[in-house]
Amino acid sequence: MRSPALDSAAAWMAARSRREQVMIAFLGGLIVIAVVWLAILRPLLDARTTAIGRIAAYEQVLVDVRTAGGAVTTSTPALSGPLPEAIPVQAATFGIVPTVTGDASSAEVSVTGARYDAVIPWLAALEASGATLSSVTIRRAASEGVVDVTLRVIQP
């Protein structure tokens, strides 16, 4: 059973001359190609470009993290004393103000709104001072180049 709309469209097409039918089919094909391009292919290509940019940014972060260990200067103070007191002192040299909770041998540290280019050398300095970073979470903040960090520091 066919629909009345399909029957009327077929009758309308049959009433056209052969030249008009070819032109309508050609234009219909162009419309299909345009819809496929605009609705499917273009968004996929844009998503691919965005993903490639994000992957490159993440790879740059990995390179920064791996090379930050060499950027720690000898003037960075070592952690001395209980971690809740020593971590803020060391972080202050990098312009970071952390919130620290814990005891003398382990601490939970959170930093909000710190510059990424200050956080990475600070984390490297923490490791260079003998502390172990058992977990580190870095999330980007609302502004560009600013991150929020949570980490757990253990001093052997």
Side-chain angles (χ1 to χ4, degrees):
M1 205 184 262
R2 295 178 69 172
S3 73
L6 190 57
D7 288 338
S8 67
W12 178 82
M13 187 68 163
R16 305 291 126 221
S17 69
R18 180 72 183 145
R19 178 175 166 232
E20 289 173 332
Q21 289 176 351
V22 168
M23 287 174 37
I24 291 170
F26 178 76
L27 289 176
L30 284 178
I31 290 172
V32 167
I33 289 171
V35 166
V36 167
W37 172 256
L38 293 173
I40 298 171
L41 294 177
R42 184 65 183 236
L44 286 175
L45 290 173
D46 290 344
R48 179 180 180 270
T49 302
T50 302
I52 288 171
R54 286 184 179 165
I55 289 169
Y58 292 142
E59 287 174 350
Q60 183 61 44
V61 167
L62 286 175
V63 168
D64 290 348
V65 168
R66 289 183 181 140
T67 59
V72 177
T73 63
T74 57
S75 65
T76 302
L79 292 178
S80 60
L83 287 178
E85 296 168 9
I87 290 175
V89 170
Q90 187 184 46
T93 62
F94 293 92
I96 297 172
V97 180
T99 304
V100 183
T101 58
D103 55 26
S105 62
S106 69
E108 297 288 331
V109 182
S110 64
V111 178
T112 56
R115 297 275 316 151
Y116 171 78
D117 54 358
V119 168
I120 297 303
W122 172 59
L123 293 176
L126 275 174
E127 283 192 327
S129 65
T132 302
L133 307 180
S134 65
S135 68
V136 177
T137 304
I138 301 176
R139 286 180 223 88
R140 71 177 170 191
S143 324
E144 188 172 328
V146 178
V147 293
D148 298 331
V149 182
T150 56
L151 61 131
R152 179 162 177 75
V153 180
I154 300 171
Q155 190 171 28

